[in-house]
Amino acid sequence: MAESNFVDYVRIVCRSGKGGRGSAHLHRAKFVEHGGPDGGDGGRGGNVYLRGNHNYWTLLHLRYERHIFAGHGGDGGKDRSTGYSGEDKYVDVPCGTVAYDAETGEYLCDVRDDGQVVLLLKGGRGGLGNWNFRTSTRQTPRFAQPGEPMTERAVVLELKLLADVGLVGFPNAGKSTLLSTLSSAKPKIADYPFTTMEPSLGIVSYRDGRSFVMADIPGIIEGASEGRGLGLRFLRHIERNSLLLFMVPGDTEDIAKEYRILLNEVATFNPGMLDKQRILAVTKRDLLDDELVSMLTSGLPDDVPHVFISSITGQGLDQLKDMLWEALNSESNKLQSITSQEAMVHSNKTLASLREEPGELEDFEYDDL
C-alpha cells in the first residue's frame, strides 16, 4: 500500500555552525620595521531557525531532509579583516508545529503563525584576533582566540492541526460525511470502520461571508488514550481546537453512554481538553421519526448542548452551524482562548536562554605561535 503523504511526526538532526578562528597575524610592510598585531576576528557560525510557512500542510518535506547543518564561520585575516559569517539555516514548517528535544523530551518551541521565526540552535561566536589582546606591556601578542564549537541536537517535530472545531467520534459516526457536506473537503467515505486514516481540514461557510475551520480525525475507540486503535496518534490534532463536536449515531443503543466513553478518552489523553466547549451531534436523523427523537432527547446528557442532524438530507445542519458559530464567538470561549495563550507564553519562557545574546567569551584557550 502506498505510504500516506500526511506526515505529522518527524525526527531531524540540527547542527549550528562553529565560529571561525581569530587571526594572530602581525603587520608586515616595506619600511615598517616592527609591525604590530593586525589579526582580525573570526566570523560567527550559522544559526538554525524554525519558520512558520502557511504553504505547508504536513511535515512531508522534512522526511527527506532530516539533517540540517548550518555553515561554519570564516577565519579572521590580516589588516583586522573579520571572517565571513556562517550561512543560517531556516527550517520551514506548517503552522501548528511543536518542537521537542528528542533525547530529553524537553519542550523547545511552538510555531503557530505564518512567518514566525524561532531560534532553535545558536551558532558559535568567532574567536578574537590578536589585535584585541594588545596592551601597553604586551604590544605584540602572538596568540588569538579559537571560535566557539558547533552545537548539535536531535529534534522531534509534531504537527498539531489548527482548527476551530474538532470532530470526535467512534469509527463510522459520520464525521467525514459531515465535513464533506459542510465544506469543500473530500475525505474518503465508505461503510466500513477506519475509512479515515489521516486528519482532514475543511472551511465551513457561514452567513455574511464568515467561515470557520473544521477538523476531522480518524475515529477513536475505547482505550485509545492507552494506545489502542488509531486515536492516540491523532488525538493531539484536536488539542488546539476551540470547540469539540462529539458525534454519535442515532441508531446507537445508548447515546449518553457512548458520549461519556468518548469524553473519558479525550480527558484521559489530556485533562485540559475538558475546559473546551462541547456540542453533541446525534447523526442519522433521517432514520429517526419525531416520536423516537423525542424519546431519545430525554436520555441525552444535560451538561452538553445537542442537536439531531442528517448529512444526507441536510436536517439540522443550519441549526448546527448556528450553534457552532455562537459557541465559537461566546465570551467564555474567548476567555478560554486567552487562558490557553497565557499558558503557551509561560511555556515559551523556557526558550529565553536561546534568544539572549551571550556575554563576552571567558575561559578561552590561546594558540601560541
Side-chain angles (χ1 to χ4, degrees), residues 19-32:
R21 300 169 61 90
S23 173
H25 188 270
L26 298 177
H27 179 68
R28 292 291 182 266
K30 193 175 183 180
F31 307 120
V32 178

Side-chain angles (χ1 to χ4, degrees), residues 67-332:
H67 295 85
I68 312 297
F69 296 160
H72 299 313
D75 296 338
K78 61 181 181 179
D79 298 330
R80 304 184 215 170
S81 299
T82 301
Y84 58 84
S85 298
E87 179 186 4
D88 295 331
K89 283 291 185 179
Y90 290 85
V91 183
D92 286 328
V93 295
C95 300
T97 299
V98 184
Y100 301 93
D101 188 291
E103 304 298 332
T104 65
E106 176 192 1
Y107 167 87
L108 298 179
C109 62
D110 185 4
V111 182
R112 300 173 63 93
D113 304 316
D114 179 48
Q116 178 184 353
V117 177
V118 179
L119 177 62
L120 195 60
L121 286 179
K122 188 172 184 62
R125 290 171 296 175
L128 299 177
N130 61 352
W131 166 261
N132 298 276
F133 301 110
R134 71 194 191 288
T135 65
S136 59
T137 58
R138 187 175 58 194
Q139 298 182 4
T140 312
R142 297 177 179 272
F143 53 82
Q145 191 180 39
E148 286 186 334
M150 57 192 175
T151 305
E152 186 170 309
R153 167 180 275 171
V155 178
V156 169
L157 300 178
E158 285 187 358
L159 173 62
K160 298 181 180 181
L161 295 180
L162 298 175
D164 299 310
V165 180
L167 304 182
V168 184
F170 287 110
N172 274 37
K175 301 186 299 298
S176 298
T177 304
L178 176 65
L179 182 64
S180 64
T181 301
L182 295 181
S183 71
S184 298
K186 301 299 180 185
K188 184 178 179 182
I189 300 173
D191 59 353
Y192 54 85
F194 295 110
T195 306
T196 300
M197 299 295 291
E198 59 187 44
S200 299
L201 287 177
I203 299 178
V204 181
S205 298
Y206 193 60
R207 299 187 179 95
D208 302 325
R210 295 172 291 184
S211 62
F212 55 88
V213 180
M214 181 177 288
D216 172 28
I217 67 169
I220 63 177
I221 61 175
E222 189 171 3
S225 58
E226 301 172 357
R228 295 185 60 197
L230 299 174
L232 181 62
R233 177 182 174 188
F234 297 111
L235 273 174
R236 67 171 177 270
H237 289 299
I238 60 175
E239 283 186 302
R240 292 180 171 173
N241 302 155
S242 300
L243 184 148
L244 300 181
L245 178 60
F246 289 81
M247 299 182 63
V248 180
D251 55 0
T252 302
E253 292 185 4
D254 192 335
I255 296 177
K257 178 181 178 181
E258 188 162 310
Y259 163 73
R260 299 197 186 282
I261 292 175
L262 291 170
L263 186 61
N264 179 68
E265 294 300 326
V266 170
T268 304
F269 176 75
N270 184 352
M273 287 200 282
L274 287 178
D275 297 331
K276 297 181 181 293
Q277 295 196 75
R278 305 186 295 272
I279 294 178
L280 173 60
V282 182
T283 63
K284 302 182 180 180
R285 170 66 175 83
D286 54 301
L287 302 180
L288 311 174
D289 55 32
D290 293 340
E291 182 179 354
L292 185 55
V293 169
S294 178
M295 183 179 67
L296 292 175
T297 300
S298 60
L300 295 180
D302 297 328
D303 58 346
V304 58
H306 65 269
V307 59
F308 286 81
I309 64 171
S310 171
S311 300
I312 304 300
T313 64
Q315 292 174 276
L317 294 186
D318 288 338
Q319 181 183 356
L320 173 63
K321 289 198 289 186
D322 289 338
M323 294 175 65
L324 293 175
W325 184 261
E326 182 179 352
L328 289 172
N329 291 275
S330 63
E331 290 298 327
S332 58

